[in-house]
């Protein structure tokens, strides 16, 4: 656990020192939401509000997490002498999830200020957002760990990531729309369980595949 905590701390320090990626992500997030606000003149239906929120979060998460392993290219051999592959990928999963969760919170705040706030059940919406961010961060971390060895990383990210995130997106968007439409927990419990199960499967696949890709 101490090595995992140190790896998470290392990622935080690297991102803090290289502030250009963080600034770029925040600028991308703010400009996308503002462009959406200008296009719809500040008024959107619940369906459009829900769809646009997840689209913005999706593309922001791609930009935020795709760099996860690219910046580790020069350190990969050094890690062989310090950490096990399971420790490295667990630290990456935790950091990517917390990173995306922070981005989602900022996105939701700015989005609600400019385009209104139709959320009534904050606890249920937060739970679904939590599970959705877990699925997106885990999927893109897994894909990033595979694609960073390839020459065409952006193409590999798109090809490998698209089929993985489809079930996460479908369940997350469906759940959040039902929550905005005043559904209660008992009515979407099955969908939340399915979303959590997909997240667990993605994380399990990451732990299975990463040791092979890391040592190749």
């Amino acid at each position: 656990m101490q090595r995992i905590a140190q790896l998470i701390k290392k990622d935080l320090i690297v991102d803090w020192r290289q502030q250009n990626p963080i600034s770029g992500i925040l600028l991308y997030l703010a400009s996308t939401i503002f462009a959406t606000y200008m296009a719809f003149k500040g008024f959107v239906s619940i369906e459009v509000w829900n769809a646009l929120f997840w689209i913005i979060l999706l593309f922001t998460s791609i930009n935020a997490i795709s760099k996860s392993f690219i910046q580790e290219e020069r350190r990969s051999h050094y890690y062989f002498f310090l950490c096990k592959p399971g420790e490295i990928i667990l630290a990456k999963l935790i950091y990517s999830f917390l990173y995306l969760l922070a981005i989602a919170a900022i996105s939701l705040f700015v989005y609600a200020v400019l385009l209104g706030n139709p959320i009534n059940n904050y606890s249920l919406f937060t739970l679904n957002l939590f599970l959705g961010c877990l699925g997106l961060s885990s999927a893109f971390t897994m894909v990033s760990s595979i694609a960073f060895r390839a020459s065409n990383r952006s193409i590999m990210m798109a090809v490998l990531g698209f089929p993985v995130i489809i079930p996460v997106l479908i369940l997350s968007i469906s759940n959040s729309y039902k929550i905005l439409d005043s559904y209660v927990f008992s009515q979407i419990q099955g969908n939340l369980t399915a979303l959590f199960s997909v997240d667990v499967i993605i994380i399990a696949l990451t732990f299975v595949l990463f040791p092979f890709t890391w040592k190749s």
Side-chain angles (χ1 to χ4, degrees):
M1 292 302 296
Q2 185 177 2
R3 284 197 291 266
I4 294 171
Q6 289 298 321
L7 288 170
I8 296 173
K9 182 180 178 181
K10 180 267 303 174
D11 283 337
L12 181 61
I13 292 173
V14 169
D15 281 340
W16 181 254
R17 288 178 178 175
Q18 300 175 356
Q19 294 187 2
N20 289 336
I22 299 177
S23 303
I25 290 169
L26 293 178
L27 179 62
Y28 174 84
L29 185 64
S31 60
T32 305
I33 296 176
F34 184 74
T36 304
Y37 166 75
M38 294 298 295
F40 289 93
K41 304 299 182 182
F43 176 79
V44 291
S45 61
I46 292 178
E47 295 90 343
V48 176
W49 190 97
N50 180 56
L52 289 175
F53 173 75
W54 282 101
I55 290 173
I56 292 172
L57 185 60
L58 169 64
F59 286 101
T60 306
S61 64
I62 295 174
N63 294 327
I65 301 174
S66 62
K67 65 178 181 58
S68 179
F69 280 92
I70 295 175
Q71 63 188 12
E72 305 291 351
E73 190 170 8
R74 297 180 180 178
R75 302 187 182 97
S76 59
H77 297 292
Y78 176 65
Y79 285 151
F80 284 141
F81 301 96
L82 296 180
C83 306
K84 298 177 181 178
E87 296 170 345
I88 297 172
I89 194 61
L90 180 57
K92 287 291 184 184
L93 287 170
I94 294 173
Y95 182 76
S96 297
F97 170 63
L98 295 177
Y99 194 29
L100 184 56
L101 206 60
I103 291 175
I106 297 172
S107 175
L108 181 60
F109 174 77
V110 178
Y111 196 72
V113 169
L114 293 179
L115 292 170
N117 184 12
I119 304 173
N120 295 319
N121 193 336
Y122 281 95
S123 59
L124 197 55
F125 189 88
T126 303
L127 175 60
N128 181 65
L129 183 61
F130 182 93
L131 294 175
C133 288
L134 179 61
L136 290 176
S137 62
S138 302
F140 286 125
T141 300
M142 179 184 69
V143 173
S144 177
S145 69
I146 300 173
F148 96 106
R149 297 286 190 182
S151 56
N152 298 321
R153 292 166 180 163
S154 58
I155 298 176
M156 288 291 291
M157 284 287 295
V159 172
L160 296 176
F162 184 74
V164 178
I165 64 172
I166 286 298
V168 177
L169 276 180
I170 291 176
L171 290 169
S172 299
I173 294 174
S174 174
N175 290 342
S176 60
Y177 173 71
K178 291 178 180 178
I179 293 168
L180 295 176
D181 200 29
S182 301
Y183 279 54
V184 296
F185 177 77
S186 59
Q187 294 175 293
I188 63 170
Q189 183 177 0
N191 280 0
L192 290 173
T193 303
L195 179 57
F196 178 72
S197 301
V198 172
D199 294 347
V200 171
I201 292 172
I202 294 173
I203 294 172
L205 284 174
T206 306
F207 276 97
V208 171
L209 296 175
F210 180 72
F212 299 101
T213 60
W214 186 250
K215 293 179 181 179
S216 61

